[in-house]
Amino acid sequence: MVDFASVRAIDFHTHAEEPCCDHRDDGYNEFQAGMAAYFKNPAGAKGMLPTVQDTANYYRERNIAAVIFPVDAERETGFRRYSNEEVAGICAENDDILIPFASVDPHKGRAGAREVRRLVRDFGVRGFKFHPTMQGFYPNDREACYTVLEACAEEGVITLFHTGQTGVGSGMRGGMGMRLKYSNPMYLDDVAVDFPDMKIILAHPSFPWTEEGLAVAQHKPNVYYDMSGWSPKYFPETFIRYANSILKKKMLFGSDWPAITPDRWLADFEAAPFKDEVRPLILKENALRLLGESV
């Protein structure tokens, strides 16, 4: 198990990528090339996607624990998903550094709810990642997704939702069919009301709806923010001001590995205008509380 007392930080947002030796679905390489161009890094180029084991090795060298998950977006993208069970199994082999989350398309309804329960009970999964834009749903659509969210709430796990702009499909014809509207964080206000005891994380600074996301996180006690997907040097001023004040105990370090490395994120975080007393909260202490670990 992770020795939370000794790790220097907890990255709450890293992606599990399929092994590079696997056959790629049609369009997958173009999708990854678009992501690499958007984030201005080589991840996604041929041979450049790290495996889950590569990720464990990388984070272990840096003494940073990492929440890791695949994304189940088969329905919208046509790309087969990376097995939740396989990712959880590799996490179990590296449980000194990796914290397993999973992903289930909420459109799977009762079958998805059964999968949620099985992953939590049999594989030790501690949370679930949802991507409204990639999975094509409004988070507050009761018919489309509440059966799966009810299972998450009943199992007492964390839910993490992509919010705002995405690099997925950016610059590609028709945006690869991705619709940004689904990722407005205000839809999660309804989810927070309907599941008041379920911990909800808004992923990324929610641009162009940053202020809506901040309002939801401030108003609902069960809503948190991870700061992934952007270098801290590009954070909106309002986002930093809230992180330094009324949301200082709700902000979580997240990189968006492999799109953004923790090395880059942490270097830019060091140079950004965060208060000294807030930095340890963001890097580790808030995550410990959210995970139910002692601070």
Side-chain angles (χ1 to χ4, degrees), residues 174-241:
M176 209 179 83
M178 300 293 104
R179 302 179 190 274
L180 300 179
K181 63 181 181 180
Y182 293 127
S183 293
N184 187 324
M186 191 53 72
Y187 297 124
L188 289 161
D189 188 58
D190 288 337
V191 178
V193 170
D194 295 335
F195 301 97
D197 298 318
M198 182 174 73
K199 297 296 188 290
I200 299 166
I201 300 174
L202 312 181
H204 320 308
S206 304
F207 176 84
W209 304 293
T210 302
E211 293 185 352
E212 284 92 330
L214 293 170
V216 175
Q218 186 279 324
H219 192 261
K220 300 299 186 291
N222 56 324
V223 177
Y224 300 76
Y225 242 121
D226 90 37
M227 307 168 82
S228 67
W230 286 42
S231 160
K233 69 181 179 181
Y234 297 124
F235 285 162
E237 187 275 334
T238 301
F239 193 72
I240 295 176
R241 186 169 70 250

Side-chain angles (χ1 to χ4, degrees), residues 9-78:
I10 300 172
D11 187 338
F12 229 96
H13 198 114
T14 74
H15 288 267
E17 303 290 353
E18 288 189 273
C20 293
C21 59
D22 283 3
H23 172 72
R24 297 299 190 192
D25 294 317
D26 292 344
Y28 188 81
N29 289 336
E30 291 80 3
F31 152 65
Q32 286 291 356
M35 291 284 285
Y38 180 84
F39 285 103
K40 295 181 173 61
N41 73 37
K46 186 175 181 180
M48 288 301 297
L49 286 174
T51 65
V52 177
Q53 186 60 54
D54 291 336
T55 298
N57 297 341
Y58 179 95
Y59 277 82
R60 188 176 290 113
E61 289 173 357
R62 287 155 178 77
N63 194 30
I64 299 173
V67 168
I68 189 165
F69 43 77
V71 178
D72 176 6
E74 292 176 314
R75 175 180 175 273
E76 288 294 305
T77 67

Side-chain angles (χ1 to χ4, degrees), residues 41-294:
N41 73 37
K46 186 175 181 180
M48 288 301 297
L49 286 174
T51 65
V52 177
Q53 186 60 54
D54 291 336
T55 298
N57 297 341
Y58 179 95
Y59 277 82
R60 188 176 290 113
E61 289 173 357
R62 287 155 178 77
N63 194 30
I64 299 173
V67 168
I68 189 165
F69 43 77
V71 178
D72 176 6
E74 292 176 314
R75 175 180 175 273
E76 288 294 305
T77 67
F79 304 147
R80 71 192 184 285
R81 64 172 176 168
Y82 190 6
S83 163
N84 285 313
E85 292 84 353
E86 182 174 341
V87 173
I90 301 171
C91 287
E93 295 168 357
N94 295 273
D95 66 356
D96 62 309
I97 210 72
L98 297 181
I99 301 166
F101 274 37
S103 181
V104 174
D105 186 337
H107 291 98
K108 292 179 176 176
R110 290 182 180 177
R114 284 196 298 271
E115 183 176 359
V116 165
R117 294 188 176 96
R118 181 172 54 81
L119 288 167
V120 174
R121 298 174 188 181
D122 297 345
F123 290 87
V125 165
R126 303 188 67 175
F128 287 83
K129 163 68 182 287
F130 298 97
H131 198 308
T133 293
M134 280 194 81
Q135 294 171 323
F137 73 98
Y138 290 107
N140 62 349
D141 186 334
R142 292 170 178 264
E143 183 176 353
C145 63
Y146 268 31
T147 300
V148 167
L149 293 184
E150 285 167 359
C152 292
E154 290 167 4
E155 293 298 323
V157 293
I158 299 165
T159 55
L160 189 156
F161 290 82
H162 171 94
T163 64
Q165 164 77 322
T166 180
V168 177
S170 179
M172 299 179 69
R173 184 173 181 269
M176 209 179 83
M178 300 293 104
R179 302 179 190 274
L180 300 179
K181 63 181 181 180
Y182 293 127
S183 293
N184 187 324
M186 191 53 72
Y187 297 124
L188 289 161
D189 188 58
D190 288 337
V191 178
V193 170
D194 295 335
F195 301 97
D197 298 318
M198 182 174 73
K199 297 296 188 290
I200 299 166
I201 300 174
L202 312 181
H204 320 308
S206 304
F207 176 84
W209 304 293
T210 302
E211 293 185 352
E212 284 92 330
L214 293 170
V216 175
Q218 186 279 324
H219 192 261
K220 300 299 186 291
N222 56 324
V223 177
Y224 300 76
Y225 242 121
D226 90 37
M227 307 168 82
S228 67
W230 286 42
S231 160
K233 69 181 179 181
Y234 297 124
F235 285 162
E237 187 275 334
T238 301
F239 193 72
I240 295 176
R241 186 169 70 250
Y242 271 70
N244 272 330
S245 55
I246 58 176
L247 292 184
K248 64 183 180 181
K249 292 188 176 181
K250 287 193 163 192
M251 292 289 189
L252 308 163
F253 160 44
S255 65
D256 215 5
W257 164 272
I260 295 177
T261 67
D263 290 353
R264 174 188 174 191
W265 195 97
L266 290 168
D268 291 344
F269 178 69
E270 183 65 27
F274 289 95
K275 295 178 180 178
D276 289 342
E277 63 269 26
V278 169
R279 292 179 186 275
L281 299 176
I282 292 172
L283 292 177
K284 181 176 172 181
E285 293 176 17
N286 292 341
L288 289 176
R289 278 190 290 270
L290 187 57
L291 290 166
E293 304 290 343
S294 59

